[in-house]
Amino acid sequence: MKAVGIKGDKGPATSLFIDEIPEPPVSEGEVLVKIRAFGLNRMDLSQREGHYPVPTGAPKTLGVEFSGVIEKIHGDASEVDSFKIGDEVFGLAYGGAYAEKIAVSAKMIIHKPAKMSFEEAAGVPEAWITATQALFLVGCFKKGDRVLLHAGASAVSLAAIQLAKHAGASEIYVTASSQEKIDFCIQLGATAGFNYKTQDFGDEILKATDGKGVDLIVDYIVGQGYLEKDIKCAAFDCRVVLLALLGGFKTQEPIDIASILRKRVRIEGSTLRSRTLEYQKTLRDRLVQEAMPKFEEDSFQLFIEKVFSWKDIIQAHQLMESNQTKGKIICVID
């Protein structure tokens, strides 16, 4: 089958090409999906450059989220019994989604609603499952919390804005690189936003909350002064969830440990791709129970920046690298 390869196994976007690789074997409890579309994620850029450790046993082919049609089923497990050949599905995998076919556990696929396109469905799994994990499983969100989401126009934060609002957040703040992105987040449900290029979001959030600060922070940046400012605007018993290191893995200034102790701030790092299958299934089930009905009734919205042919995978990666997007970048297998 065809799949996206990397010349020399790592390199810039221009090293990507359409390769020929063996069709993946299907193990007990797995299904083989003929992929119609796949979503791009920041981890794909890191993996392409050789900076992202692939989980043990995962395919080296890029990509963790996809949509398509079940072509083959292996096993009699209860999870497999809920699917049949020909079903339209979308799901999350440990790797291998930049390809014509993928073998994936039936525990990590979801029936695609008829009203949802393959392009839309391919952009759901990583963003919405990550947002669910960050807010609820790791961040211990509770009704009435004030929330801060960095990279407000990213697919994960756009999902988190909607999930937090639906769950009863009292205030939702975002950071972004432009007023256009901030306005976009406010239209979706954010209370206010701050331009991290021109404003000190730590100070601004303290002003906006009358000095109280926020109860839950989801941070993908960490470096560039972010963690220091997170601690500054943290409320008592705040939970800070660190999901990525887009701004670097070192803080610019010494961390104020006294503030962490005084405010009882909990800082916890988390990843999704390295989690066990059962952990990911728990998140999938929560998405099915709580978010999918909202998609069906149009209460939750999906945002796609651009759809590419997978033959234009170089341009798709370059667009993601530009940091100018709002929502998902999707590639279709054509």
Side-chain angles (χ1 to χ4, degrees), residues 52-68:
Y52 193 102
V54 178
T56 302
K60 71 175 185 178
T61 300
L62 298 171
V64 298
E65 60 181 347
F66 62 90
S67 64

Side-chain angles (χ1 to χ4, degrees), residues 38-41 65 116-117 119-125 127-128 152-163 165 180-181 183-190 295 298-307 320 325-330:
F38 59 82
L40 273 62
N41 292 283
E65 60 181 347
M116 186 180 288
S117 69
E119 291 85 353
E120 290 173 327
V124 171
W128 285 81
S154 67
V156 175
S157 285
L158 293 177
I161 289 170
Q162 298 176 77
L163 288 167
K165 183 179 179 181
E180 177 189 2
K181 289 183 177 181
D183 292 342
F184 186 74
C185 294
I186 291 172
Q187 291 173 10
L188 189 59
F295 287 128
D298 297 324
S299 296
F300 283 168
Q301 301 178 59
L302 301 171
F303 297 97
I304 296 177
E305 175 70 27
K306 189 169 183 177
V307 176
M320 175 161 278
T325 59
K326 300 188 293 293
K328 296 294 296 188
I329 298 172
I330 303 296

Side-chain angles (χ1 to χ4, degrees), residues 62-313:
L62 298 171
V64 298
E65 60 181 347
F66 62 90
S67 64
V69 179
I70 294 178
E71 193 172 85
K72 188 184 297 183
I73 295 175
H74 183 29
D76 299 318
S78 59
E79 283 289 341
V80 178
D81 287 344
S82 61
F83 298 96
K84 64 182 185 301
I85 293 173
D87 281 354
E88 296 180 346
V89 297
F90 62 96
L92 191 66
Y94 288 107
Y98 284 26
E100 290 183 310
K101 297 180 183 180
I102 189 169
V104 62
S105 170
K107 294 179 179 181
M108 283 311 298
I109 58 174
I110 300 170
H111 288 284
K112 182 183 77 66
K115 68 186 299 182
M116 186 180 288
S117 69
F118 282 106
E119 291 85 353
E120 290 173 327
V124 171
E126 177 67 18
W128 285 81
I129 289 177
T130 297
T132 298
Q133 177 196 28
L135 288 174
F136 303 111
L137 269 70
V138 181
C140 301
F141 174 91
K142 59 185 182 300
K143 187 175 181 179
D145 274 352
R146 294 182 296 272
V147 178
L148 168 60
L149 305 168
H150 292 305
S154 67
V156 175
S157 285
L158 293 177
I161 289 170
Q162 298 176 77
L163 288 167
K165 183 179 179 181
H166 173 68
S170 61
E171 299 164 34
I172 303 170
Y173 298 99
V174 300
T175 62
S177 61
S178 70
Q179 191 59 47
E180 177 189 2
K181 289 183 177 181
I182 290 169
D183 292 342
F184 186 74
C185 294
I186 291 172
Q187 291 173 10
L188 189 59
T191 307
F194 307 102
N195 187 325
Y196 63 82
K197 292 183 176 181
T198 60
Q199 296 173 288
D200 183 320
F201 69 80
D203 289 338
E204 295 298 330
I205 286 174
L206 288 175
K207 292 177 187 176
T209 60
D210 295 324
K212 298 182 183 69
V214 289
D215 305 297
L216 173 58
I217 301 172
V218 180
D219 190 347
Y220 321 88
I221 315 298
V222 181
Q224 299 179 8
Y226 270 66
L227 187 56
E228 298 95 310
K229 294 171 187 174
D230 288 342
I231 295 169
K232 180 196 297 185
C233 67
F236 280 85
D237 297 309
C238 176
R239 290 84 64 200
V240 182
V241 182
L242 308 181
L243 294 182
L245 302 168
L246 300 181
F249 56 87
K250 292 185 178 180
T251 59
Q252 287 184 331
E253 301 173 7
I255 294 296
D256 184 358
I257 302 297
S259 289
I260 296 175
L261 293 175
R262 180 174 58 83
K263 296 180 181 180
R264 301 186 298 273
V265 177
R266 191 188 87 196
I267 301 173
E268 183 171 350
S270 182
T271 59
L272 177 59
R273 194 175 182 184
S274 63
R275 299 284 190 170
T276 66
L277 186 58
E278 290 305 318
Y279 181 96
Q280 294 196 13
K281 178 183 178 298
T282 297
L283 289 166
R284 182 209 65 170
D285 291 347
R286 184 158 186 165
L287 182 70
V288 169
Q289 294 161 10
E290 299 179 9
M292 293 310 297
K294 297 297 179 182
F295 287 128
E296 291 275 15
E297 63 188 37
D298 297 324
S299 296
F300 283 168
Q301 301 178 59
L302 301 171
F303 297 97
I304 296 177
E305 175 70 27
K306 189 169 183 177
V307 176
F308 288 87
S309 163
W310 76 319
K311 298 170 187 173
D312 297 321
I313 187 63

